[in-house]
Amino acid sequence: MEFIPDYHLPTQPTTAETRYRLCQDFFDHQIPHAIWFEDALVHYGVPNVVFDLYILVEDIDRAANLLTQAGWTLDMKKPPRIGNAEVDLVDFPQRRLMSPDGQTITVLLPAAGWKFHLTSETRLIYAPLENKSTHGVPFPPLAGLLDALIESWLDCPSDDAMLLIVLACQISYLYAHVPGLKQRSFADQMKYEHRQFHFDVVAGMETGTLPFRRHQRVIRDALLQGEYELRECSASRDDKDLFFPLGGSDLKRS
């Protein structure tokens, strides 16, 4: 699938040291956090351009207060964006702040609202920065990122079309660019209720479409209720809603 809306590029590039500077403040004040959306995809090899910096935290008000005390300013720019796409996040709490140097908009999101749990048991991936005194930058593990994106997409309100497209694109980008996701065995690292989703993608099912979403929601719910057994592929390849002979995406199919 392909989604190319109008770009809004940053006015100046920023280094990783500058972009992720706030992580040190969060570490110093014991605020659990994880980098999200495009920055997380880039960490795993997706060739994205990064835009606003999205970070998951447990308490967005506490994290926002800390940043404002450190020089960040609230940014009320509308509408919000994920990547370069305008999305409707009315139903999703957030705090948008501009960095002191005016180069990066940081968007704080509640981790639980985006299906990711920041607990002491969560093994984040810490990417080192050039400044050896820092703790590094915390990224979600690949399986945790994929599970959260899948769950967010399956549970996203159906009338939020652009958010559905953005989440579907991010899932598709991971499958397209991360070699490990091309293996059926990666399912062993995922939540049980998302393993058939993975098997179906690896089997070549056309992903990111509304028929695919409906199909996967039914299977996910059946797995959770113990009424479905995992299989190599959950549908016949003759099903034209789920397997398109020429490929491509059809997010607007009903």
Side-chain angles (χ1 to χ4, degrees):
M1 63 184 297
E2 185 177 20
F3 170 60
I4 311 178
D6 292 336
Y7 277 89
H8 77 298
L9 294 173
T11 55
Q12 297 181 25
T14 58
T15 65
E17 198 78 38
T18 300
R19 184 170 179 83
Y20 302 127
R21 181 185 303 160
L22 77 172
C23 292
Q24 185 65 47
D25 291 326
F26 284 163
F27 280 122
D28 290 344
H29 291 82
Q30 298 182 332
I31 294 180
H33 61 292
I35 307 298
W36 208 241
F37 289 147
E38 279 79 16
D39 287 76
L41 268 62
V42 168
H43 174 73
Y44 285 107
V46 177
N48 273 1
V49 175
V50 294
F51 299 89
D52 297 346
L53 171 60
Y54 281 84
I55 298 183
L56 298 184
V57 294
E58 291 181 329
D59 185 333
I60 60 176
D61 290 327
R62 180 186 174 210
N65 289 338
L66 172 64
L67 291 183
T68 54
Q69 293 172 14
W72 270 256
T73 56
L74 290 176
D75 180 84
M76 304 303 293
K77 183 181 67 174
K78 298 287 179 94
R81 294 174 180 261
I82 296 177
N84 56 342
E86 296 181 0
V87 294
D88 182 1
L89 295 181
V90 174
D91 296 326
F92 298 89
Q94 61 175 301
R95 294 291 182 275
R96 297 171 55 85
L97 302 101
M98 177 66 73
S99 60
D101 61 8
Q103 296 303 310
T104 304
I105 294 175
T106 297
V107 185
L108 303 175
L109 300 173
W114 290 91
K115 318 300 184 181
F116 189 81
H117 299 288
L118 286 168
T119 66
S120 57
E121 290 77 28
T122 302
R123 296 188 176 182
L124 299 175
I125 308 299
Y126 290 91
L129 293 174
E130 293 180 4
N131 183 348
K132 303 302 182 182
S133 65
T134 66
H135 294 80
V137 182
F139 291 91
L142 179 58
L145 172 63
L146 183 59
D147 273 326
L149 290 175
I150 290 173
E151 189 172 353
S152 294
W153 185 58
L154 294 179
D155 290 341
C156 178
S158 297
D159 59 352
D160 199 340
M162 185 55 68
L163 183 56
L164 280 172
I165 291 174
V166 169
L167 293 174
C169 282
Q170 294 198 357
I171 294 168
S172 294
Y173 291 165
L174 285 171
Y175 275 104
H177 295 284
V178 182
L181 295 188
K182 302 183 189 303
Q183 305 300 318
R184 279 177 49 83
S185 60
F186 185 83
D188 294 339
Q189 303 177 47
M190 300 174 66
K191 289 183 177 180
Y192 179 73
E193 61 265 30
H194 297 151
R195 292 180 183 181
Q196 189 64 59
F197 185 111
H198 176 73
F199 292 156
D200 289 342
V201 175
V202 173
M205 194 174 288
E206 190 70 17
T207 64
T209 68
L210 294 181
F212 178 75
R213 181 172 180 261
R214 287 194 297 269
H215 180 74
Q216 294 300 330
R217 282 166 62 98
V218 171
I219 290 176
R220 186 266 311 265
D221 294 346
L223 283 169
L224 289 171
Q225 296 166 15
E227 300 174 351
Y228 184 90
E229 293 185 1
L230 296 172
R231 59 200 67 178
E232 183 174 348
C233 185
S234 65
S236 167
R237 295 181 182 276
D238 294 330
D239 189 329
K240 296 302 187 295
D241 280 336
L242 299 174
F243 288 92
F244 301 132
L246 298 180
S249 70
D250 193 6
L251 276 165
K252 296 183 179 179
R253 291 172 66 94
S254 58

